[in-house]
Amino acid sequence: QVPVQFGGGSVQTGGSLRLSCVKSGGTWCYDWYRQGSGFHRDFVAGITNENTATYADSVRGRFTIAQDKVTHAIYLQMNELKPEDTGMYYCKTRRLLSDGSCSQQFYWGDGTQVTVSS
């Protein structure tokens, strides 16, 4: 079962969007990746069950990854969006292991488009 993604859309420069991702059946580490015009997916942000968040330099201070306390989904709040943030965003999940690390096996969500116009 792949992670289920929600959100995305189109905004103008400076706008905001929120993406959400949830995967059932265990405890997971979550990462968000962006794929632009090419085939490569770039890391955007990640969070573990300990709520330790990491960010790419290009989004730090503008994006926030956290867990929704009501739905328990992981969301990526994207503020001050720029045209270079445009792309297909993919949620990637890895199982959280007992030692606090994330498994090598991973699952990709189906992707959601984010478009930022100037």
Side-chain angles (χ1 to χ4, degrees):
Q1 184 181 7
V2 300
V4 179
Q5 299 185 211
F6 304 91
S10 298
V11 294
Q12 292 186 323
T13 297
S16 297
L17 287 171
R18 175 177 286 205
L19 307 179
S20 296
C21 179
V22 62
K23 185 167 176 15
S24 60
T27 306
W28 303 92
C29 305
Y30 287 82
D31 299 302
W32 285 99
Y33 282 73
R34 176 176 62 236
Q35 182 173 335
S37 57
F39 293 101
H40 182 71
R41 295 179 182 179
D42 295 313
F43 174 80
V44 175
I47 191 168
T48 69
N49 189 50
E50 299 298 322
N51 292 319
T52 300
T54 56
Y55 299 94
D57 290 341
S58 61
V59 306
R60 188 175 292 111
R62 299 187 297 122
F63 290 12
T64 301
I65 185 171
Q67 185 175 40
D68 187 303
K69 298 186 186 304
V70 176
T71 66
H72 301 291
I74 297 298
Y75 66 84
L76 181 69
Q77 178 66 41
M78 304 183 293
N79 298 328
E80 301 176 39
L81 282 161
K82 305 175 181 179
E84 51 262 44
D85 296 319
T86 294
M88 186 71 78
Y89 282 70
Y90 292 90
C91 177
K92 175 183 176 182
T93 58
R94 294 172 290 159
R95 189 174 296 279
L96 182 67
L97 304 178
S98 58
D99 64 358
S101 65
C102 304
S103 67
Q104 294 296 312
Q105 185 179 19
F106 56 86
Y107 303 86
W108 287 110
D110 291 333
T112 184
Q113 180 67 35
V114 169
T115 302
V116 185
S117 58
S118 58

